[in-house]
mmCIF file of all heavy atoms in Angstrom:
data_model
loop_
_atom_site.group_PDB
_atom_site.id
_atom_site.type_symbol
_atom_site.label_atom_id
_atom_site.label_comp_id
_atom_site.label_asym_id
_atom_site.label_seq_id
_atom_site.Cartn_x
_atom_site.Cartn_y
_atom_site.Cartn_z
ATOM 1 N N ALA A 96 47.819 46.083 106.549
ATOM 2 C CA ALA A 96 46.428 45.617 106.258
ATOM 3 C C ALA A 96 46.094 44.330 106.879
ATOM 4 O O ALA A 96 44.984 44.057 107.467
ATOM 5 C CB ALA A 96 46.192 45.594 104.792
ATOM 6 N N LEU A 97 47.110 43.331 106.858
ATOM 7 C CA LEU A 97 46.940 42.055 107.359
ATOM 8 C C LEU A 97 46.795 42.225 108.952
ATOM 9 O O LEU A 97 45.937 41.565 109.524
ATOM 10 C CB LEU A 97 48.118 41.155 107.108
ATOM 11 C CG LEU A 97 48.088 39.826 107.797
ATOM 12 C CD1 LEU A 97 46.999 38.963 107.225
ATOM 13 C CD2 LEU A 97 49.446 39.043 107.515
ATOM 14 N N ALA A 98 47.632 43.079 109.610
ATOM 15 C CA ALA A 98 47.567 43.207 111.036
ATOM 16 C C ALA A 98 46.216 43.764 111.438
ATOM 17 O O ALA A 98 45.793 43.474 112.540
ATOM 18 C CB ALA A 98 48.783 44.176 111.496
ATOM 19 N N ARG A 99 45.581 44.571 110.602
ATOM 20 C CA ARG A 99 44.252 45.099 111.097
ATOM 21 C C ARG A 99 43.211 44.049 111.077
ATOM 22 O O ARG A 99 42.258 44.131 111.635
ATOM 23 C CB ARG A 99 43.852 46.211 110.081
ATOM 24 C CG ARG A 99 44.672 47.593 110.219
ATOM 25 C CD ARG A 99 44.061 48.746 109.594
ATOM 26 N NE ARG A 99 44.045 48.561 108.119
ATOM 27 C CZ ARG A 99 45.143 49.022 107.398
ATOM 28 N NH1 ARG A 99 46.224 49.646 107.984
ATOM 29 N NH2 ARG A 99 45.229 48.895 106.079
ATOM 30 N N LYS A 100 43.456 42.937 110.246
ATOM 31 C CA LYS A 100 42.392 41.904 110.129
ATOM 32 C C LYS A 100 42.602 40.833 111.187
ATOM 33 O O LYS A 100 41.738 40.150 111.536
ATOM 34 C CB LYS A 100 42.521 41.288 108.718
ATOM 35 C CG LYS A 100 41.521 40.096 108.481
ATOM 36 C CD LYS A 100 40.104 40.518 108.722
ATOM 37 C CE LYS A 100 39.090 39.372 108.484
ATOM 38 N NZ LYS A 100 37.794 39.772 108.807
ATOM 39 N N VAL A 101 43.976 40.518 111.518
ATOM 40 C CA VAL A 101 44.150 39.378 112.357
ATOM 41 C C VAL A 101 44.291 39.843 113.903
ATOM 42 O O VAL A 101 44.624 40.969 114.188
ATOM 43 C CB VAL A 101 45.490 38.730 111.965
ATOM 44 C CG1 VAL A 101 45.324 38.260 110.535
ATOM 45 C CG2 VAL A 101 46.690 39.492 112.263
ATOM 46 N N GLN A 102 44.035 38.899 114.790
ATOM 47 C CA GLN A 102 44.194 39.195 116.205
ATOM 48 C C GLN A 102 45.620 39.273 116.707
ATOM 49 O O GLN A 102 46.118 40.113 117.460
ATOM 50 C CB GLN A 102 43.435 38.125 117.059
ATOM 51 C CG GLN A 102 43.568 38.494 118.525
ATOM 52 C CD GLN A 102 42.424 37.908 119.402
ATOM 53 O OE1 GLN A 102 41.383 37.571 118.764
ATOM 54 N NE2 GLN A 102 42.625 37.725 120.664
ATOM 55 N N MET A 103 46.466 38.339 116.095
ATOM 56 C CA MET A 103 47.889 38.360 116.427
ATOM 57 C C MET A 103 48.650 37.852 115.221
ATOM 58 O O MET A 103 48.304 36.890 114.552
ATOM 59 C CB MET A 103 48.135 37.429 117.639
ATOM 60 C CG MET A 103 49.646 37.433 118.116
ATOM 61 S SD MET A 103 50.185 39.067 118.645
ATOM 62 C CE MET A 103 49.191 39.290 120.170
ATOM 63 N N LEU A 104 49.754 38.600 114.978
ATOM 64 C CA LEU A 104 50.793 38.141 113.863
ATOM 65 C C LEU A 104 51.974 37.647 114.582
ATOM 66 O O LEU A 104 52.691 38.333 115.343
ATOM 67 C CB LEU A 104 51.050 39.368 113.057
ATOM 68 C CG LEU A 104 51.983 39.197 111.977
ATOM 69 C CD1 LEU A 104 51.595 38.203 110.913
ATOM 70 C CD2 LEU A 104 52.252 40.617 111.241
ATOM 71 N N ALA A 105 52.265 36.349 114.304
ATOM 72 C CA ALA A 105 53.423 35.627 114.866
ATOM 73 C C ALA A 105 54.567 35.550 113.880
ATOM 74 O O ALA A 105 54.354 35.274 112.717
ATOM 75 C CB ALA A 105 53.051 34.259 115.338
ATOM 76 N N VAL A 106 55.767 35.970 114.325
ATOM 77 C CA VAL A 106 56.909 35.998 113.528
ATOM 78 C C VAL A 106 58.000 35.191 114.184
ATOM 79 O O VAL A 106 58.077 35.037 115.392
ATOM 80 C CB VAL A 106 57.342 37.430 113.194
ATOM 81 C CG1 VAL A 106 56.339 38.153 112.248
ATOM 82 C CG2 VAL A 106 57.604 38.186 114.448
ATOM 83 N N PRO A 107 58.952 34.735 113.321
ATOM 84 C CA PRO A 107 59.965 33.765 113.899
ATOM 85 C C PRO A 107 61.145 34.433 114.676
ATOM 86 O O PRO A 107 61.813 33.779 115.466
ATOM 87 C CB PRO A 107 60.515 32.971 112.720
ATOM 88 C CG PRO A 107 60.274 33.970 111.654
ATOM 89 C CD PRO A 107 59.045 34.696 111.855
ATOM 90 N N MET A 108 61.428 35.666 114.500
ATOM 91 C CA MET A 108 62.670 36.321 114.970
ATOM 92 C C MET A 108 62.403 37.704 115.529
ATOM 93 O O MET A 108 61.496 38.349 115.112
ATOM 94 C CB MET A 108 63.775 36.337 113.893
ATOM 95 C CG MET A 108 64.058 34.964 113.304
ATOM 96 S SD MET A 108 65.476 34.988 112.196
ATOM 97 C CE MET A 108 66.761 35.235 113.431
ATOM 98 N N GLN A 109 63.268 38.048 116.428
ATOM 99 C CA GLN A 109 63.136 39.345 117.082
ATOM 100 C C GLN A 109 63.295 40.488 116.139
ATOM 101 O O GLN A 109 62.685 41.557 116.172
ATOM 102 C CB GLN A 109 64.217 39.502 118.253
ATOM 103 C CG GLN A 109 64.165 40.869 118.992
ATOM 104 C CD GLN A 109 62.862 40.965 119.860
ATOM 105 O OE1 GLN A 109 62.247 39.990 120.184
ATOM 106 N NE2 GLN A 109 62.407 42.196 119.961
ATOM 107 N N THR A 110 64.160 40.324 115.115
ATOM 108 C CA THR A 110 64.299 41.354 114.039
ATOM 109 C C THR A 110 63.161 41.576 113.370
ATOM 110 O O THR A 110 62.800 42.699 112.896
ATOM 111 C CB THR A 110 65.483 40.900 113.163
ATOM 112 O OG1 THR A 110 65.319 39.601 112.631
ATOM 113 C CG2 THR A 110 66.880 41.012 113.845
ATOM 114 N N ASP A 111 62.271 40.503 113.094
ATOM 115 C CA ASP A 111 60.987 40.661 112.394
ATOM 116 C C ASP A 111 60.057 41.516 113.274
ATOM 117 O O ASP A 111 59.381 42.430 112.685
ATOM 118 C CB ASP A 111 60.241 39.324 112.151
ATOM 119 C CG ASP A 111 61.109 38.366 111.309
ATOM 120 O OD1 ASP A 111 61.568 38.909 110.290
ATOM 121 O OD2 ASP A 111 61.266 37.167 111.637
ATOM 122 N N LEU A 112 60.053 41.263 114.494
ATOM 123 C CA LEU A 112 59.151 42.054 115.451
ATOM 124 C C LEU A 112 59.596 43.444 115.374
ATOM 125 O O LEU A 112 58.747 44.375 115.412
ATOM 126 C CB LEU A 112 59.249 41.431 116.777
ATOM 127 C CG LEU A 112 58.307 42.040 117.923
ATOM 128 C CD1 LEU A 112 56.853 41.921 117.479
ATOM 129 C CD2 LEU A 112 58.519 41.528 119.295
ATOM 130 N N GLU A 113 60.858 43.842 115.421
ATOM 131 C CA GLU A 113 61.341 45.125 115.427
ATOM 132 C C GLU A 113 60.921 45.863 114.166
ATOM 133 O O GLU A 113 60.592 47.139 114.239
ATOM 134 C CB GLU A 113 62.897 45.153 115.575
ATOM 135 C CG GLU A 113 63.252 44.732 117.056
ATOM 136 C CD GLU A 113 64.807 44.407 117.112
ATOM 137 O OE1 GLU A 113 65.460 44.585 116.033
ATOM 138 O OE2 GLU A 113 65.248 43.971 118.174
ATOM 139 N N GLN A 114 60.930 45.160 113.041
ATOM 140 C CA GLN A 114 60.511 45.763 111.817
ATOM 141 C C GLN A 114 59.095 46.013 111.755
ATOM 142 O O GLN A 114 58.551 47.217 111.378
ATOM 143 C CB GLN A 114 60.785 44.769 110.537
ATOM 144 C CG GLN A 114 60.346 45.346 109.254
ATOM 145 C CD GLN A 114 61.076 46.617 108.828
ATOM 146 O OE1 GLN A 114 62.270 46.509 108.442
ATOM 147 N NE2 GLN A 114 60.484 47.701 108.947
ATOM 148 N N LEU A 115 58.240 45.207 112.326
ATOM 149 C CA LEU A 115 56.819 45.454 112.455
ATOM 150 C C LEU A 115 56.531 46.653 113.428
ATOM 151 O O LEU A 115 55.634 47.399 113.082
ATOM 152 C CB LEU A 115 56.079 44.224 112.973
ATOM 153 C CG LEU A 115 56.017 43.003 112.069
ATOM 154 C CD1 LEU A 115 55.458 41.774 112.712
ATOM 155 C CD2 LEU A 115 55.325 43.254 110.780
ATOM 156 N N ARG A 116 57.318 46.765 114.420
ATOM 157 C CA ARG A 116 57.210 47.895 115.395
ATOM 158 C C ARG A 116 57.472 49.232 114.604
ATOM 159 O O ARG A 116 56.726 50.222 114.809
ATOM 160 C CB ARG A 116 58.062 47.825 116.561
ATOM 161 C CG ARG A 116 57.677 46.608 117.486
ATOM 162 C CD ARG A 116 56.530 46.865 118.257
ATOM 163 N NE ARG A 116 56.228 45.876 119.303
ATOM 164 C CZ ARG A 116 55.542 44.828 119.202
ATOM 165 N NH1 ARG A 116 54.710 44.723 118.115
ATOM 166 N NH2 ARG A 116 55.362 43.940 120.177
ATOM 167 N N ARG A 117 58.439 49.179 113.714
ATOM 168 C CA ARG A 117 58.724 50.382 112.935
ATOM 169 C C ARG A 117 57.640 50.717 112.071
ATOM 170 O O ARG A 117 57.469 51.963 111.608
ATOM 171 C CB ARG A 117 60.121 50.193 112.194
ATOM 172 C CG ARG A 117 61.348 50.222 113.033
ATOM 173 C CD ARG A 117 62.587 50.320 112.226
ATOM 174 N NE ARG A 117 62.834 49.036 111.469
ATOM 175 C CZ ARG A 117 63.555 48.123 111.931
ATOM 176 N NH1 ARG A 117 64.090 48.207 113.184
ATOM 177 N NH2 ARG A 117 63.852 47.006 111.217
ATOM 178 N N TRP A 118 56.774 49.638 111.635
ATOM 179 C CA TRP A 118 55.644 49.930 110.738
ATOM 180 C C TRP A 118 54.381 50.198 111.589
ATOM 181 O O TRP A 118 53.349 50.247 111.081
ATOM 182 C CB TRP A 118 55.420 48.802 109.785
ATOM 183 C CG TRP A 118 56.528 48.595 108.861
ATOM 184 C CD1 TRP A 118 57.386 49.566 108.380
ATOM 185 C CD2 TRP A 118 56.899 47.443 108.124
ATOM 186 N NE1 TRP A 118 58.245 48.970 107.445
ATOM 187 C CE2 TRP A 118 57.961 47.674 107.272
ATOM 188 C CE3 TRP A 118 56.284 46.160 108.170
ATOM 189 C CZ2 TRP A 118 58.460 46.647 106.458
ATOM 190 C CZ3 TRP A 118 56.882 45.158 107.359
ATOM 191 C CH2 TRP A 118 57.975 45.507 106.448
ATOM 192 N N ARG A 119 54.647 50.421 112.895
ATOM 193 C CA ARG A 119 53.507 50.734 113.818
ATOM 194 C C ARG A 119 52.433 49.560 113.942
ATOM 195 O O ARG A 119 51.327 49.789 114.203
ATOM 196 C CB ARG A 119 52.830 52.036 113.457
ATOM 197 C CG ARG A 119 53.790 53.327 113.483
ATOM 198 C CD ARG A 119 53.051 54.496 113.209
ATOM 199 N NE ARG A 119 54.017 55.642 113.256
ATOM 200 C CZ ARG A 119 53.656 56.920 113.008
ATOM 201 N NH1 ARG A 119 52.435 57.221 112.634
ATOM 202 N NH2 ARG A 119 54.655 57.780 113.003
ATOM 203 N N ILE A 120 52.957 48.380 113.883
ATOM 204 C CA ILE A 120 52.230 47.186 114.059
ATOM 205 C C ILE A 120 52.417 46.706 115.401
ATOM 206 O O ILE A 120 53.609 46.287 115.728
ATOM 207 C CB ILE A 120 52.465 46.135 113.000
ATOM 208 C CG1 ILE A 120 52.078 46.581 111.535
ATOM 209 C CG2 ILE A 120 51.765 44.770 113.286
ATOM 210 C CD1 ILE A 120 52.439 45.701 110.442
ATOM 211 N N THR A 121 51.463 46.640 116.327
ATOM 212 C CA THR A 121 51.660 46.293 117.696
ATOM 213 C C THR A 121 51.123 44.920 118.000
ATOM 214 O O THR A 121 51.574 44.380 119.043
ATOM 215 C CB THR A 121 51.050 47.377 118.589
ATOM 216 O OG1 THR A 121 49.669 47.426 118.249
ATOM 217 C CG2 THR A 121 51.639 48.670 118.424
ATOM 218 N N ASN A 122 50.171 44.373 117.261
ATOM 219 C CA ASN A 122 49.660 43.081 117.581
ATOM 220 C C ASN A 122 50.466 41.957 116.952
ATOM 221 O O ASN A 122 49.995 41.251 116.052
ATOM 222 C CB ASN A 122 48.156 42.973 117.076
ATOM 223 C CG ASN A 122 47.975 43.260 115.731
ATOM 224 O OD1 ASN A 122 48.714 44.079 115.109
ATOM 225 N ND2 ASN A 122 46.993 42.588 114.993
ATOM 226 N N ALA A 123 51.743 41.959 117.323
ATOM 227 C CA ALA A 123 52.704 40.946 116.895
ATOM 228 C C ALA A 123 53.476 40.356 118.030
ATOM 229 O O ALA A 123 53.709 41.071 119.036
ATOM 230 C CB ALA A 123 53.575 41.554 115.774
ATOM 231 N N MET A 124 53.968 39.178 117.865
ATOM 232 C CA MET A 124 54.899 38.551 118.841
ATOM 233 C C MET A 124 55.796 37.595 118.250
ATOM 234 O O MET A 124 55.692 37.078 117.039
ATOM 235 C CB MET A 124 53.967 37.856 119.810
ATOM 236 C CG MET A 124 53.242 36.666 119.305
ATOM 237 S SD MET A 124 52.220 35.803 120.575
ATOM 238 C CE MET A 124 53.404 35.228 121.788
ATOM 239 N N VAL A 125 56.858 37.224 118.906
ATOM 240 C CA VAL A 125 57.945 36.275 118.435
ATOM 241 C C VAL A 125 57.621 34.885 118.901
ATOM 242 O O VAL A 125 57.538 34.666 120.128
ATOM 243 C CB VAL A 125 59.344 36.733 118.748
ATOM 244 C CG1 VAL A 125 60.254 35.729 118.199
ATOM 245 C CG2 VAL A 125 59.633 38.056 118.203
ATOM 246 N N ILE A 126 57.449 33.963 117.975
ATOM 247 C CA ILE A 126 57.382 32.448 118.307
ATOM 248 C C ILE A 126 58.315 31.791 117.368
ATOM 249 O O ILE A 126 58.007 31.529 116.227
ATOM 250 C CB ILE A 126 55.934 31.891 118.176
ATOM 251 C CG1 ILE A 126 55.013 32.672 119.161
ATOM 252 C CG2 ILE A 126 55.995 30.364 118.589
ATOM 253 C CD1 ILE A 126 53.547 32.102 119.190
ATOM 254 N N PRO A 127 59.525 31.530 117.797
ATOM 255 C CA PRO A 127 60.543 30.888 116.946
ATOM 256 C C PRO A 127 60.139 29.472 116.445
ATOM 257 O O PRO A 127 59.243 28.745 117.138
ATOM 258 C CB PRO A 127 61.834 30.754 117.789
ATOM 259 C CG PRO A 127 61.502 31.804 118.940
ATOM 260 C CD PRO A 127 60.125 31.792 119.145
ATOM 261 N N ALA A 128 60.636 29.032 115.316
ATOM 262 C CA ALA A 128 60.486 27.636 114.884
ATOM 263 C C ALA A 128 60.987 26.720 115.939
ATOM 264 O O ALA A 128 61.988 27.025 116.606
ATOM 265 C CB ALA A 128 61.118 27.496 113.529
ATOM 266 N N GLY A 129 60.336 25.507 116.142
ATOM 267 C CA GLY A 129 60.922 24.558 117.079
ATOM 268 C C GLY A 129 61.014 23.230 116.442
ATOM 269 O O GLY A 129 60.239 22.787 115.623
ATOM 270 N N ILE A 130 61.990 22.537 116.916
ATOM 271 C CA ILE A 130 62.226 21.052 116.509
ATOM 272 C C ILE A 130 62.188 20.287 117.742
ATOM 273 O O ILE A 130 62.302 20.707 118.895
ATOM 274 C CB ILE A 130 63.525 20.925 115.747
ATOM 275 C CG1 ILE A 130 64.731 21.180 116.671
ATOM 276 C CG2 ILE A 130 63.512 21.708 114.477
ATOM 277 C CD1 ILE A 130 65.987 20.698 116.125
ATOM 278 N N ASP A 131 61.911 18.995 117.594
ATOM 279 C CA ASP A 131 62.003 17.988 118.684
ATOM 280 C C ASP A 131 63.393 17.707 119.011
ATOM 281 O O ASP A 131 63.984 16.712 118.361
ATOM 282 C CB ASP A 131 61.191 16.713 118.398
ATOM 283 C CG ASP A 131 60.963 15.873 119.569
ATOM 284 O OD1 ASP A 131 61.623 16.069 120.585
ATOM 285 O OD2 ASP A 131 60.138 14.983 119.485
ATOM 286 N N VAL A 132 64.096 18.388 119.801
ATOM 287 C CA VAL A 132 65.560 18.247 120.089
ATOM 288 C C VAL A 132 65.869 16.871 120.616
ATOM 289 O O VAL A 132 67.005 16.386 120.518
ATOM 290 C CB VAL A 132 66.003 19.299 120.941
ATOM 291 C CG1 VAL A 132 65.898 20.705 120.328
ATOM 292 C CG2 VAL A 132 65.290 19.375 122.372
ATOM 293 N N THR A 133 64.898 16.154 121.213
ATOM 294 C CA THR A 133 65.212 14.877 121.822
ATOM 295 C C THR A 133 65.415 13.766 120.713
ATOM 296 O O THR A 133 65.942 12.767 120.976
ATOM 297 C CB THR A 133 64.019 14.386 122.619
ATOM 298 O OG1 THR A 133 62.750 14.270 121.897
ATOM 299 C CG2 THR A 133 63.721 15.352 123.754
#
Side-chain angles (χ1 to χ4, degrees):
L97 177 66
R99 287 193 292 270
K100 177 60 182 174
V101 305
Q102 179 156 342
M103 185 62 69
L104 178 58
V106 291
M108 302 186 71
Q109 183 63 31
T110 52
D111 298 316
L112 185 63
E113 292 166 0
Q114 179 64 76
L115 293 175
R116 294 286 188 262
R117 287 193 288 271
W118 294 338
R119 299 183 180 180
I120 294 173
T121 57
N122 57 327
M124 65 183 297
V125 177
I126 300 183
I130 64 170
D131 190 345
V132 293
T133 61

